[in-house]
Amino acid sequence: MTHVIDACDPSTWPLSLSEALADINDVALAYELDAPGSSLADYEWAVDRISEALTHLSIRGWHCTNLSTDEIKAIREQGMAPLSSDMAVMRVNQQRTRGALSSAVAEEVAAKHQAGQPNRNGRTWFCFFPPRKAGQGGIERLLRYWGGEAVYWAHLEHCAVSEELRHIGTPAIIEVELPIASIERTFTDLPIAIIRRHLFNKGAPIRESLRSEGYTRELIPASRVRAIHVFPSEAFRRLSGCDSWTDPL
């Protein structure tokens, strides 16, 4: 099986990755600390070196959402497909059919979804750190409102719609093992986060974020879904940190 790493836990990193990090340590440290003589070109070489070392590995990732019982069952059996406009409308219609959404609200939500936007369409987003580290402000709405940002975002100021969306499903955190080769590189790049974590653990005063997020365009098979942690399980509470929120779920 593919080796699975936790981006926040170097004890899970294989020897090949540790050796690559040792190779680029001095170059990366100089750049991160803005030392005299540090070079962007050298740092880019270091990032590429770590990216190559990560290629054949998988990583543990988390996706915060709110799901109905039937949607949880479907993911456990069929896996996760990337977001699309057709998927958003299908999910809304399913909830209308089962009576969880009124016809009026279903029509409005289906008409105003944002699943077709370039930063959402064909993608499934994950964080590669325990979601609680994003804080209440970072994940609360994802967990509190059914449908994901693409569905609920346009309706947060419309009480009648948002209230229906709040009462459909259950807060859930989907934990997956994602092939790193399938992750698109983003502004919160995984190789950079790994480098910074390595330097931080060596005692370097890293000022930039150690966290990384990313997305895949691929279907995630059920075999790669490690767990779906649902509220109010102990694992959900630990991953979300919801017990410390000002407003309980």
Side-chain angles (χ1 to χ4, degrees):
M1 283 187 62
T2 304
H3 188 105
V4 181
I5 68 169
D6 183 327
C8 300
D9 183 3
S11 71
T12 67
W13 301 354
L15 179 61
S16 57
L17 177 56
S18 298
E19 290 176 341
L21 287 163
D23 289 344
I24 61 90
N25 184 89
D26 293 347
V27 167
L29 180 62
Y31 183 82
E32 288 287 349
L33 299 185
D34 197 23
S38 61
S39 163
L40 175 59
D42 287 345
Y43 188 70
E44 290 175 338
W45 164 81
V47 172
D48 287 343
R49 174 80 172 87
I50 299 309
S51 180
E52 180 182 358
L54 291 169
T55 299
H56 302 295
L57 306 177
S58 292
I59 191 168
R60 185 177 301 180
W62 292 271
H63 178 86
C64 295
T65 187
N66 185 299
L67 300 168
S68 63
T69 301
D70 52 321
E71 290 172 329
I72 292 172
K73 182 175 183 290
I75 290 172
R76 284 177 171 151
E77 294 177 351
Q78 303 167 24
M80 300 176 68
L83 181 65
S84 68
S85 293
D86 287 345
M87 175 193 290
V89 173
M90 177 191 71
R91 292 182 65 202
V92 170
N93 287 335
Q94 286 176 338
Q95 299 310 313
R96 171 164 50 183
T97 298
R98 60 189 289 266
L101 280 178
S102 66
S103 293
V105 167
E107 288 176 8
E108 182 171 357
V109 172
K112 294 182 179 180
H113 73 77
Q114 300 173 356
Q117 292 184 342
N119 66 324
R120 304 182 192 278
N121 185 46
R123 306 179 182 191
T124 307
W125 283 86
F126 294 92
C127 62
F128 304 116
F129 55 87
R132 66 177 180 275
K133 295 190 175 188
Q136 180 177 353
I139 63 174
E140 178 182 11
R141 287 173 173 171
L142 293 167
L143 296 170
R144 197 177 291 279
Y145 295 95
W146 174 83
E149 277 188 342
V151 170
Y152 71 68
W153 191 258
H155 308 285
L156 292 177
E157 303 300 323
H158 300 81
C159 293
V161 176
S162 62
E163 279 302 303
E164 285 201 29
L165 296 178
R166 282 186 62 173
H167 290 90
I168 293 179
T170 301
I173 298 175
I174 305 172
E175 183 175 337
V176 304
E177 295 177 356
L178 194 63
I180 293 176
S182 74
I183 301 170
E184 303 276 348
R185 298 184 71 162
T186 71
F187 59 90
T188 52
D189 211 3
L190 177 60
I192 293 176
I194 293 289
I195 290 172
R196 289 173 176 165
R197 174 66 62 180
H198 162 76
L199 295 174
F200 179 81
N201 286 355
K202 292 288 186 180
I206 300 302
R207 297 181 295 272
E208 301 295 333
S209 174
L210 306 180
R211 302 174 191 167
S212 178
E213 301 175 9
Y215 64 89
T216 180
R217 298 181 185 273
E218 298 182 3
L219 170 70
I220 301 168
S223 60
R224 289 195 171 273
V225 178
R226 289 173 56 97
I228 302 178
H229 307 289
V230 297
F231 179 80
S233 71
E234 180 180 348
F236 177 92
R237 291 178 181 275
R238 172 175 48 81
L239 285 168
S240 67
C242 64
D243 288 342
S244 65
W245 291 4
T246 54
D247 300 311
L249 275 174

